Amino acid sequence: MSRLCVHTITTKPLSLEQCLAEFPKRGVSGITIWRQALEGRDLAAVKRQTADSGMEVVSLCRGGFFPAKSAADRQKAIDDNLLAIEQAHAIGAPLIVLVCGAVPGQNLVESRKQITDGIAACLSAAEAAGVKLAIEPLHPMYADDRSAVNTMRQAHEICDALGSPKSVGIAVDVYHVWWDPELKSQIDLAGQTGRLHAFHICDWKTPTTDLLNDRGLMGEGCINLREISDWVDATGFTGHREVEIFSHKWWSGDQGEFLDRIAASYARLYS
């Protein structure tokens, strides 16, 4: 349980204070904070509250969404990512997860170029703040408007294009990449290059009722979770295993019971 992290979006109905109170009761040792949980808050106070909870801030979600049809909108995205870097530094988050973005109707190659340019524009600020950036490949079903980066290979190509800075790596989310026939070799490459920055877990339900908000609790679906997790660990990755679940089903129920289920399913998976 020492590597169990839960995202605040996973228990979306809970306030940040409730997350900080309830997560440790289930043995959760890490927390990934979503930016909406920071709105209107004193960031120094958030850092103190998190430290008092005994949990480690694993990352801040999310940055990205770089592509846009106009230069002005691309600059707005860069400015928002620079703000995210300031927020991460203020709360003691060592990493920002990037959901890179896409523009409906725009060539995916162009969108990936704009993503690369956007990350490049944020690099010096991230390095100065001591904050790493993790490109999260999203399932191809999101290639139209959510992310033009859909495989680990594409994420590696962006890292290469940036000159392989140590501050830029990859967030592996099993929901998005479990289907990829190259997954093991790309995870191995991430380990070899020092780019494996984060590992997110949940499950893919069959049938699924919503491609965004019907993720499963670990063990509810068809993803070869333990095998993928073993591939990740074999690279030498010792970071947290982050539970990130978007689910109308689980959000509509008692969040304490949901957290109990998360802890139990995690314990079964890694027993």
Side-chain angles (χ1 to χ4, degrees):
M1 302 295 283
S2 64
R3 295 173 63 187
L4 173 58
C5 170
V6 178
H7 285 225
T8 58
I9 197 71
T10 295
T11 53
K12 186 178 178 180
L14 298 184
S15 67
L16 179 57
E17 285 81 7
Q18 289 172 316
C19 291
L20 295 175
E22 295 299 323
F23 287 8
K25 294 178 183 177
R26 280 82 181 178
V28 179
S29 61
I31 184 170
T32 284
I33 298 175
W34 279 58
R35 290 178 70 194
Q36 55 261 51
L38 300 179
E39 291 176 5
R41 292 181 178 272
D42 180 326
L43 299 185
V46 170
K47 184 176 183 179
R48 289 193 300 271
Q49 288 174 306
T50 308
D52 289 345
S53 75
M55 287 187 295
E56 177 183 343
V57 180
V58 175
S59 61
L60 179 68
C61 274
R62 57 195 177 191
F65 293 98
F66 293 107
K69 290 190 175 179
S70 73
D73 285 341
R74 290 194 293 275
Q75 186 59 51
K76 285 181 184 177
I78 290 168
D79 292 342
D80 184 62
N81 280 269
L82 293 174
L83 174 60
I85 291 167
E86 292 177 5
Q87 292 172 322
H89 179 69
I91 66 170
L95 178 73
I96 297 173
V97 177
L98 302 179
V99 175
C100 290
V103 178
Q106 178 166 278
N107 184 289
L108 290 175
V109 173
E110 175 60 26
S111 288
R112 290 177 195 131
K113 179 183 181 300
Q114 292 178 2
I115 289 165
T116 305
D117 292 343
I119 295 173
C122 298
L123 261 181
S124 61
E127 290 170 350
V131 174
K132 292 184 177 182
L133 306 175
I135 300 167
E136 181 178 12
L138 263 57
H139 194 282
M141 64 186 170
Y142 296 125
D144 62 333
D145 66 349
R146 207 167 184 86
S147 181
V149 181
N150 309 112
T151 65
M152 285 191 68
R153 176 180 287 275
Q154 291 165 357
H156 277 298
E157 289 170 351
I158 290 175
C159 291
D160 290 341
L162 291 167
S164 300
K166 294 185 183 298
S167 56
V168 180
I170 300 171
V172 177
D173 186 325
V174 295
Y175 188 76
H176 295 297
V177 299
W178 69 276
W179 57 272
D180 187 349
E182 293 189 324
L183 183 57
K184 183 181 185 301
S185 64
Q186 294 299 312
I187 287 173
D188 290 345
L189 178 60
Q192 293 161 12
T193 54
R195 293 174 179 168
L196 187 47
H197 284 359
F199 181 52
H200 299 177
I201 58 175
C202 64
D203 217 332
W204 184 291
K205 293 167 62 180
T206 305
T208 184
T209 62
D210 186 307
L211 291 174
L212 179 62
N213 294 315
D214 191 34
R215 294 191 186 192
L217 189 67
M218 293 83 72
E220 282 192 303
C222 61
I223 298 177
N224 52 323
L225 276 165
R226 184 56 193 259
E227 182 177 35
I228 295 172
S229 188
D230 287 346
W231 295 342
V232 168
D233 285 354
T235 69
F237 179 82
T238 58
H240 280 83
R241 300 163 178 138
E242 305 178 43
V243 179
E244 183 186 33
I245 298 174
F246 302 165
S247 170
H248 290 310
K249 169 193 169 183
W250 289 113
W251 289 336
S252 66
D254 182 281
Q255 297 303 288
E257 293 178 8
F258 181 29
L259 282 166
D260 290 341
R261 293 287 297 273
I262 288 171
S265 65
Y266 182 92
R268 283 194 299 272
L269 180 60
Y270 295 107
S271 62

